Amino acid sequence: MITIVTKDGKRHSFADATQVVVMSKTGSNAYPLDKFLDVKEPRRYILFHDTTLLFGVNTNDIESIKAE
């Protein structure tokens, strides 16, 4: 389960996410749910369920993010 709270106060929860594409200074790569928060200098998170896009958010729009 990934829960993202954006700076506008909205809570977005994704129980069916299977991978996260992280865009950073060095490029874009897909990561499993237990590794994507370890990426240094992320700029954007894009959540997928298999090949279906669930949600994309810039890191400067995130108040908090939790992966369980």
Side-chain angles (χ1 to χ4, degrees):
M1 166 83 79
I2 296 174
T3 302
I4 298 171
V5 177
T6 53
K7 290 187 177 174
D8 61 3
K10 293 181 181 174
R11 176 182 295 268
H12 309 272
S13 295
F14 305 95
D16 56 348
T18 55
Q19 68 177 345
V20 180
V21 172
V22 180
M23 299 176 81
S24 67
K25 277 183 150 181
T26 58
S28 302
N29 289 300
Y31 294 90
L33 301 182
D34 62 341
K35 301 287 185 199
F36 80 97
L37 290 175
D38 297 335
V39 176
K40 296 194 184 317
E41 299 183 29
R43 296 204 171 158
R44 184 167 180 78
Y45 296 117
I46 305 168
L47 286 70
F48 288 89
H49 173 74
D50 295 326
T51 59
T52 303
L53 173 67
L54 296 175
F55 189 69
V57 63
N58 292 328
T59 55
N60 59 350
D61 294 330
I62 297 174
E63 185 71 35
S64 67
I65 186 168
K66 185 176 8 175
E68 300 173 330

